[in-house]
């Protein structure tokens, strides 16, 4: 794992490893009022307005249920060459997130169980593998 | 104690005008805006010095674009302000022009929306995100299309029928960016954009201008405006997104609460509406919003669409202008253009796209953020 580097280390961390690669833990937050959100922030709670110490980090499972998917055929940003697929996932821990489906994942449909893993998306100049969160069908 | 718009003194739309919505061109925004304002002044049969206050709706032109345009009408020294509220910029400008007149601060106010297509710059909140750079608006609505189709067992071909209707309406609108009827095969066979959305199911990128002049009864009398062509604004509501239950679509939930408040303000029920101009930037939105406004239960929108109930001449004409899909969505002008279309319809001046006997119209816009604005106009 020493040769791996997370693309967005403020948003997720490496959990235990399974056959498909390292699973992810999402770095969310919980308010004193009970509201769970992603990503972690201390600006203030969207539900009740509490801020600062009322908001504490809370690791979220990357397991959830697919709400929707869309394969993007046209995308102006050349850093994201189409096609790619976006998934909307209701995490088991509460928040709804949207991100990319893993390249080579089996097709997904609403209602299906999905899980986030950390997938290799490139290399740094010093040869480290860059990992980013991708969802695929839960094993 | 607070009061809603229709508890203040009555406010009427007395002048409407456009510069046609069109593909991006070399035409300066100043010319687009002046064309719409002069058309609205001519429609009201008043002169520019009668306008006591101006609200300039624009999202993409840059800072302080209003005065370099308005000075060419003769610099009267009247106040002006700029309104940026994403897609709802024009609706928001209209609301505040109405509030200014209804409150008694002015007798005559102008809302002018003008925009040209420029790169959209979103604010940096300092918070990270997983892949927002990969999720542009058409993908947000492609996801909603997938959700709607699965939840209500609707076919994506049926959802695309919204575009067939709105292109048909736009073909009769000389101010529309797209003025061509399209068959379902043409709509489905177009360039694939995201999910099941094809390019003719998405609003085009464009430019243009729309202007609306509002006046009090004192202003109408003093200026000799034809009261028979004045259309009253009977409700104005603006809202922003709250926290909804997990999995609930915020676009539909926000529209529902905003439309409910507007209908209550005007003391009307959804069945009373003859015309709705709504934010159909993408086909699925029209179904979501007619259901949220209360025309039919959730999931029944496709049936109304296929029955022709949403056509001009049907139970309630939805987007007789062609909507954002056909008339276009130049951002700043869009919400003001909706008001102009409803006024034209309620006056009975909409020509080949006239919805017979129209007396009550509702205008709806959402903007990223999200915000939602609803106005009701009555003859």
């Amino acid at each position: 794992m020493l040769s791996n580097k997370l693309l967005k280390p403020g948003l997720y961390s490496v959990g235990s490893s399974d056959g498909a690669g390292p699973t992810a833990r999402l770095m969310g937050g919980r308010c004193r009022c009970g509201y769970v959100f992603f990503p972690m922030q201390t600006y203030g709670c969207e539900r009740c307005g509490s801020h600062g110490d009322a908001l504490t980090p809370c690791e979220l499972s990357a397991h959830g249920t697919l709400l929707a998917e869309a394969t993007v055929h046209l995308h102006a940003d050349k850093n994201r060459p189409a096609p790619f697929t976006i998934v909307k996932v209701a995490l088991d821990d509460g928040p709804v997130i949207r991100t990319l489906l893993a390249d080579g994942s089996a097709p997904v449909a609403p209602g299906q169980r999905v899980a986030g893993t950390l997938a290799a998306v490139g290399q740094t100049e010093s040869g480290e593998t860059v990992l980013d969160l991708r969802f695929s069908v839960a094993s | 104690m607070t009061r809603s718009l229709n508890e203040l003194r009555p406010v009427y739309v007395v002048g409407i005008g456009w510069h046609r919505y069109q593909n991006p061109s070399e035409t300066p925004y100043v010319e687009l805006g002046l064309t719409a304002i002069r058309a609205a002044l001519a429609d009201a049969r008043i002169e520019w010095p009668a306008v006591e206050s101006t609200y300039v709706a624009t999202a993409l032109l840059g800072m302080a674009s209003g005065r370099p345009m308005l000075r060419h009408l003769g610099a009267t020294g009247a106040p002006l302000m700029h309104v940026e509220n994403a897609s709802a910029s024009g609706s928001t400008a209209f609301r505040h022009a109405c509030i200014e007149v209804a409150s008694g601060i002015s007798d005559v106010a102008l809302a002018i929306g003008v925009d040209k297509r420029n790169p959209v710059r979103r604010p940096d909140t300092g918070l990270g995100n997983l892949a927002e750079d990969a999720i542009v608006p058409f993908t947000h609505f492609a996801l909603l299309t997938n959700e709607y189709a699965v939840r209500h067992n609707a076919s994506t071909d049926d959802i695309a029928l919204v575009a067939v209707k709105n292109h048909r309406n736009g073909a009769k609108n000389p101010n529309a960016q797209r003025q061509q009827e399209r068959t379902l095969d043409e709509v489905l066979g177009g360039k694939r954009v995201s999910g099941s959305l094809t390019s003719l199911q998405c609003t085009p990128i464009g430019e243009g201008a729309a202007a609306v002049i509002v006046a009090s009864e004192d202003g109408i009398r003093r200026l000799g405006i034809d009261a028979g062509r004045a259309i009253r604004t009977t409700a104005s509501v603006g809202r922003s997104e709250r926290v909804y239950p997990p999995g609930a679509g915020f676009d539909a939930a926000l529209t529902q609460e905003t439309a409910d408040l507007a209908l209550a303000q005007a003391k009307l029920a959804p069945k009373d509406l003859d015309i709705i101009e709504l934010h159909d930037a993408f086909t699925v939105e029209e179904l979501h919003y007619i259901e949220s406004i209360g025309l039919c239960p959730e999931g029944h929108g496709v049936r109304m669409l296929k029955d022709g109930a949403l056509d001009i001449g049907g139970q309630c004409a939805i987007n007789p202008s062609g909507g954002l899909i056909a008339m276009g969505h130049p951002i700043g002008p869009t919400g003001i253009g909706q008001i102009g279309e409803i006024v034209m319809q309620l006056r009975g001046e909409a020509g080949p796209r006239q919805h017979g006997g129209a007396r009550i119209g509702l205008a709806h816009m959402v903007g990223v953020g999200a915000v939602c604005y609803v106005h009701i106009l009555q003859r």
Side-chain angles (χ1 to χ4, degrees):
Chain A
M1 293 303 293
L2 286 177
S3 59
N4 288 341
K5 184 177 164 55
L6 299 178
L7 183 67
K8 296 178 177 177
L11 298 181
Y12 43 73
S13 59
V14 180
S16 61
S17 193
D18 67 16
T23 59
R25 302 287 294 171
L26 294 168
M27 293 160 76
R30 178 188 292 276
C31 177
R32 201 182 286 143
C33 78
Y35 187 61
V36 178
F37 53 88
F38 174 84
M40 174 57 193
Q41 48 86 16
T42 52
Y43 289 156
C45 173
E46 188 172 7
R47 189 163 82 179
C48 76
S50 297
H51 65 284
D53 293 347
L55 308 178
T56 50
C58 167
E59 272 202 352
L60 307 175
S61 158
H63 286 263
T65 303
L66 191 90
L67 295 177
E69 58 82 22
T71 297
V72 179
H73 305 287
L74 279 182
H75 195 67
D77 182 352
K78 291 185 173 46
N79 295 320
R80 293 269 188 208
F84 53 84
T85 298
I86 298 294
V87 291
K88 180 175 174 183
V89 178
L91 296 176
D92 293 346
D93 287 332
V96 173
I97 62 167
R98 303 186 303 182
T99 191
L100 292 143
L101 185 71
D103 289 339
S105 164
V108 288
Q112 219 165 355
R113 295 289 300 162
V114 291
T117 55
L118 293 167
V121 295
Q123 282 207 323
T124 64
E125 282 179 7
S126 52
E128 294 166 302
T129 300
V130 179
L131 300 178
D132 192 19
L133 184 73
R134 294 290 185 275
F135 272 79
S136 52
V137 177
S139 48
Chain B
M1 198 186 96
T2 63
R3 280 179 282 178
S4 61
L5 184 83
N6 76 341
E7 294 168 319
L8 303 172
R9 67 175 184 163
V11 54
Y12 300 83
V13 178
V14 298
I16 57 177
W18 285 267
H19 183 290
R20 183 190 165 178
Y21 301 171
Q22 60 192 17
N23 293 328
S25 76
E26 296 298 311
T27 309
Y29 83 88
V30 175
E31 190 174 325
L32 301 175
L34 290 173
T35 302
I37 296 169
R38 290 192 170 114
L41 291 167
D43 180 57
R45 299 192 186 96
I46 62 172
E47 302 294 328
W48 170 242
V51 174
E52 295 160 63
S53 186
T54 296
Y55 293 78
V56 181
T58 178
L60 305 172
L61 292 179
M63 190 168 80
S65 50
R67 167 60 203 165
M69 168 176 74
L70 297 174
R71 73 190 184 98
H72 298 289
L73 294 159
T76 60
L80 70 105
M81 73 169 290
H82 300 83
V83 178
E84 187 274 298
N85 218 2
S87 290
S89 298
S91 313
T92 309
F94 176 70
R95 171 171 161 82
H96 288 276
C98 286
I99 289 171
E100 180 163 338
V101 168
S103 70
I105 289 171
S106 293
D107 277 327
V108 180
L110 167 71
I112 165 72
V114 58
D115 254 320
K116 288 183 68 77
R117 182 49 64 149
N118 285 307
V120 174
R121 223 183 72 217
R122 298 290 298 275
D124 178 4
T125 61
L127 296 181
N129 66 80
L130 290 172
E132 287 304 305
D133 63 292
I135 310 172
V136 297
F138 58 61
T139 295
H140 171 75
F141 289 104
L143 290 165
L144 282 189
T145 305
N146 178 238
E147 251 179 303
Y148 186 93
V150 170
R151 183 178 303 154
H152 301 302
N153 199 22
S155 84
T156 51
D157 290 11
D158 283 347
I159 294 171
L161 287 168
V162 169
V164 175
K165 172 180 68 67
N166 292 352
H167 283 284
R168 185 166 64 234
N169 294 349
K172 300 188 183 81
N173 183 353
N175 291 314
Q177 182 171 345
R178 289 166 160 171
Q179 298 182 25
Q180 196 179 341
E181 290 204 30
R182 301 289 189 170
T183 64
L184 181 58
D185 283 346
E186 285 177 290
V187 169
L188 295 172
K191 194 188 288 177
R192 295 175 77 196
V193 175
S194 189
S196 65
L197 291 174
T198 50
S199 58
L200 290 174
Q201 296 185 65
C202 303
T203 186
I205 289 170
E207 63 180 31
V212 157
I213 297 167
V214 294
S216 64
E217 288 173 354
D218 285 350
I220 289 171
R221 265 193 303 274
R222 178 161 51 79
L223 295 164
I225 293 169
D226 179 359
R229 293 175 73 242
I231 301 294
R232 185 171 172 187
T233 306
T234 55
S236 172
V237 178
R239 296 282 298 165
S240 63
E241 184 182 340
R242 296 184 296 119
V243 175
Y244 302 105
F250 67 83
D251 308 86
L254 176 57
T255 290
Q256 184 179 339
E257 63 189 37
T258 311
D260 282 354
L261 288 167
L263 287 164
Q265 191 176 129
K267 300 181 177 64
L268 294 169
K271 65 172 171 44
D272 298 324
L273 300 171
D274 299 308
I275 289 178
I276 299 175
E277 285 278 318
L278 56 73
H279 183 280
D280 64 325
F282 305 94
T283 40
V284 71
E285 289 186 88
E286 183 162 312
L287 301 171
H288 266 303
Y289 301 143
I290 63 165
E291 295 167 9
S292 302
I293 290 167
L295 282 198
C296 63
E298 209 186 315
H300 290 229
V302 167
R303 190 180 310 165
M304 286 192 86
L305 179 66
K306 292 176 91 167
D307 288 348
L310 312 180
D311 291 348
I312 293 169
Q315 178 192 321
C316 178
I318 310 295
N319 289 320
S321 69
L324 279 61
I325 285 175
M327 182 162 182
H329 182 27
I331 313 293
T334 313
I336 296 172
Q338 290 183 324
I339 301 296
E341 173 70 18
I342 291 171
V343 167
M344 198 184 272
Q345 292 278 350
L346 301 191
R347 286 173 175 172
E349 296 177 355
R353 62 180 196 288
Q354 180 65 46
H355 182 70
R359 299 189 61 82
I360 302 173
L362 180 149
H364 158 273
M365 280 296 277
V366 290
V368 291
V371 295
C372 184
Y373 281 73
V374 171
H375 288 93
I376 296 175
L377 294 118
Q378 291 180 247
R379 186 167 68 188

